[in-house]
Amino acid sequence: MKLVVVSAGLSVPSSTRLLADRLAAAVGRQTPADAPAEIQVVELRELAVEIAHHFTSGFPGRALSAALDAVTGADGLVVATPVFSASYSGLFKSFFDVLDPDALTGKPVLIAATGGSARHSLVLEHALRPLFSYLRAVVVPTGVYAASEDWGAEGLEGRIERAAAELTRLMTGLSAAQGGPVVNGGSVANGGSEGADGSEAARPAARTVPAARDGKVRAGDLEVVPFAQQLAALGSAG
C-alpha cells in the first residue's frame, strides 16, 4: 500500500512535519505484514515557488508534477498543516487547489494540524474536514491536532494510534476492493458487497424492476405505489 504524507510545515525542524511523521509511522506499524506501507513525504515548503507559477502559467513544474502524481496514485493520505489565522495555511490550500478535482475521490485521508494554542483545535472540523469532504475524499473520523503543550503530554500518542488505525482499515479495505466493485465515499455501487472500511458484511444491492402496466414498482418483496396513485385513491375515497 502506498501512503503519501503531505506536510505544509514551513520551519526546519517543523512540528507539523513531526506530527505527520509520527502518524505515518503509526500507520506503518499497523499495516499487514504481507502489505507493508510504502511511505512517501511531500514537503510543500519545497514546492512553494512551483505552486505559485502553476497558478499563473497553468502548468506544473517537474517537482510539483511528481508530487501531484504521487498524491493521485496513493492508497491513502496523511495531510498536516500549521494553523494560520484560525485556518489551514495558504500554501496547504494552494496545493490542493492545483490538484485535479477528482484526484481524491474515494481516497482515505487522515487530517492533522498543529498550532500554538489548543483554542484552534476545531480547525480540523471547520476547515480541513469540509475541504476534503468537498473533494469527495473519505476523511477518517479521528483528526489529530497538536498544540504546543501537547508534545510530550498524555493523550497525543493515543489519538495518533487511533487515527492511524482508522486510516489503515480504510486503506486495507480499499486495496481489497481494487478490481472489484466501485467504492465511493463509503458506499458501494454496482452491487458490491464490502464497505469502504471493509467491516460490513456482504449484502445484496437494492434491486428494483421496471414499473408494471398498472404503474406499480416492486423493490424486492416491497410494492411501491406511485404518489399520484395514492393521491387519486384518497380523492375517490372522499
Side-chain angles (χ1 to χ4, degrees), residues 31-83:
T31 50
D34 58 348
E38 175 190 343
I39 300 173
Q40 179 178 352
V41 178
V42 174
E43 279 274 16
L44 299 187
R45 180 175 60 88
E46 300 170 354
L47 302 173
V49 174
E50 288 197 27
I51 291 172
H53 285 172
H54 191 338
F55 277 112
T56 55
S57 68
F59 298 97
R62 182 175 300 178
L64 177 58
S65 181
L68 296 174
D69 289 345
V71 168
T72 302
D75 295 308
L77 296 177
V78 172
V79 298
T81 177
V83 174

Side-chain angles (χ1 to χ4, degrees), residues 103-175:
L104 300 187
T105 300
K107 196 181 299 294
V109 175
L110 194 167
I111 54 176
T114 58
S117 167
R119 289 176 295 179
H120 293 302
S121 61
L122 285 178
V123 69
L124 296 173
E125 307 304 325
H126 70 66
L128 274 79
R129 194 176 298 277
L131 170 63
F132 290 98
S133 295
Y134 174 79
L135 294 172
R136 298 187 293 278
V138 181
V139 186
V140 303
T142 301
V144 181
Y145 177 85
S148 300
E149 61 266 28
D150 286 325
W151 297 103
E154 186 178 356
L156 178 59
E157 194 60 34
R159 298 199 300 274
I160 288 175
E161 294 295 328
R162 183 172 60 191
E166 293 169 355
L167 178 62
T168 303
R169 285 197 294 270
L170 283 171
M171 291 175 62
T172 304
L174 291 181
S175 295

Side-chain angles (χ1 to χ4, degrees), residues 82-104:
V83 174
F84 287 170
S85 301
S87 188
Y88 36 64
S89 72
L91 178 61
F92 181 84
K93 178 62 162 54
S94 296
F95 177 75
F96 291 100
D97 281 346
V98 300
L99 185 68
D100 186 300
D102 296 323
L104 300 187

Side-chain angles (χ1 to χ4, degrees), residues 105-106 138 170 173-174 176-207:
T105 300
V138 181
L170 283 171
L174 291 181
Q178 285 179 352
V182 175
V183 179
N184 185 2
S187 61
V188 181
N190 295 340
S193 59
E194 187 176 70
D197 61 359
S199 61
E200 296 185 18
R203 64 176 184 270
R207 187 171 65 87

